[in-house]
Amino acid sequence: MELRATPTEVKIRSAEDGKESRTIEGYALKFNKRSQPLMGGYFVETLDSHCLDDADMSNVVATFNHDESKLLGRSGVNLTLTKDDVGLRFKIDLPNTTLANDVLEEVRMGILSQCSFAFTLPNDDDADVWSRSNEDDAEYKRTILAIDKLYDVSVVTTPAYEDTNVSVGSRSKQAVDKLKDESLKKVRELKRQEALRKLNIEDLK
């Protein structure tokens, strides 16, 4: 499972009847938005606009800080997920619990303002694609083309999309390790070719 924070604001939905609203909303994820550098600046990431086309979103929970013991909602009950051109929008009608009341107050005050999501990718090579990055702060770019399952959307206390609060998952780590290994092999081969070139020059003298 991978976790991603999203640089978006969680807000309280405006009440239509003049009463105090207990609904918070925002984007759990946004398409085609570049992440901050991940894994020590080795890669950046974007989500393709079709990555949710075949995703399982049948049993998604809303939590606080990805803690399933701190439940705020569930899809089909009080959590609504809507995909649009921007990304995946969520709406949570908060229950009358101590946790939900605290979250509501902290969102109202601006203490809580970020969200995150947990997901897995299909076990195939077409789920994501890696390419060389033309950005100065990352060597590679990863584009996620397909999400297998969305597990939760979460109101979080940590900043958005920073390397310190992002779990990249074993699949990403394996891909990065492979890229690093290939890069090391290329460097070694270039050094070997340079050494041979120098030897040939010396032989000609």
Side-chain angles (χ1 to χ4, degrees):
M1 187 183 298
E2 304 198 26
L3 306 181
R4 293 293 185 275
T6 306
T8 184
E9 187 177 1
V10 180
K11 296 181 179 180
I12 298 175
R13 188 181 182 90
S14 299
E16 297 178 355
D17 55 5
K19 296 181 180 179
E20 184 180 46
S21 175
R22 292 187 58 82
T23 301
I24 61 174
E25 61 183 0
Y27 279 95
L29 60 89
K30 290 184 176 182
F31 302 134
N32 301 313
K33 188 172 183 65
R34 179 187 182 277
S35 76
Q36 293 297 321
L38 306 176
M39 288 192 72
Y42 203 74
F43 73 97
V44 293
E45 186 177 82
T46 59
L47 297 167
D48 184 81
S49 59
H50 295 286
C51 68
L52 292 175
D53 286 358
D54 297 315
D56 180 2
M57 297 190 292
S58 60
N59 187 24
V60 181
V61 293
T63 63
F64 177 62
N65 279 336
H66 293 289
D67 187 340
E68 290 191 357
S69 68
K70 298 179 179 179
L71 195 62
L72 297 173
R74 184 180 296 276
S75 57
V77 181
N78 64 328
L79 167 64
T80 303
L81 299 171
T82 306
K83 187 176 72 168
D84 59 24
D85 292 338
V86 176
L88 183 67
R89 190 168 185 86
F90 72 88
K91 181 182 75 172
I92 309 170
D93 298 319
L94 292 171
N96 186 20
T97 63
T98 300
L99 171 65
N101 292 337
D102 289 345
V103 167
L104 180 64
E105 180 62 19
E106 289 175 353
V107 170
R108 179 181 290 112
M109 293 181 65
I111 298 171
L112 289 175
S113 61
Q114 305 292 339
C115 62
S116 179
F117 63 102
F119 66 100
T120 54
L121 299 185
N123 189 25
D124 62 61
D125 295 333
D126 296 327
D128 57 354
V129 61
W130 293 79
S131 59
R132 278 283 184 181
S133 174
N134 56 6
E135 307 283 348
D136 292 335
D137 55 355
E139 292 188 51
Y140 290 92
K141 176 184 177 181
R142 181 196 195 195
T143 303
I144 294 180
L145 302 176
I147 288 177
D148 178 50
K149 181 173 176 59
L150 185 70
Y151 288 87
D152 80 5
V153 296
S154 186
V155 180
V156 295
T157 58
T158 44
Y161 240 137
E162 288 189 356
D163 196 22
T164 53
N165 73 314
V166 174
S167 171
V168 296
S170 60
R171 180 192 181 104
S172 300
K173 289 177 181 177
Q174 289 170 1
V176 168
D177 288 343
K178 182 180 178 181
L179 289 170
K180 286 181 176 179
D181 185 54
E182 289 175 352
S183 296
L184 182 59
K185 288 179 180 177
K186 288 179 181 178
V187 169
R188 287 173 176 169
E189 177 60 21
L190 288 173
K191 287 182 177 180
R192 188 184 72 84
Q193 291 178 6
E194 178 65 15
L196 289 172
R197 187 182 67 82
K198 289 181 178 179
L199 285 173
N200 287 334
I201 291 174
E202 291 296 328
D203 290 342
L204 292 172
K205 290 180 178 180

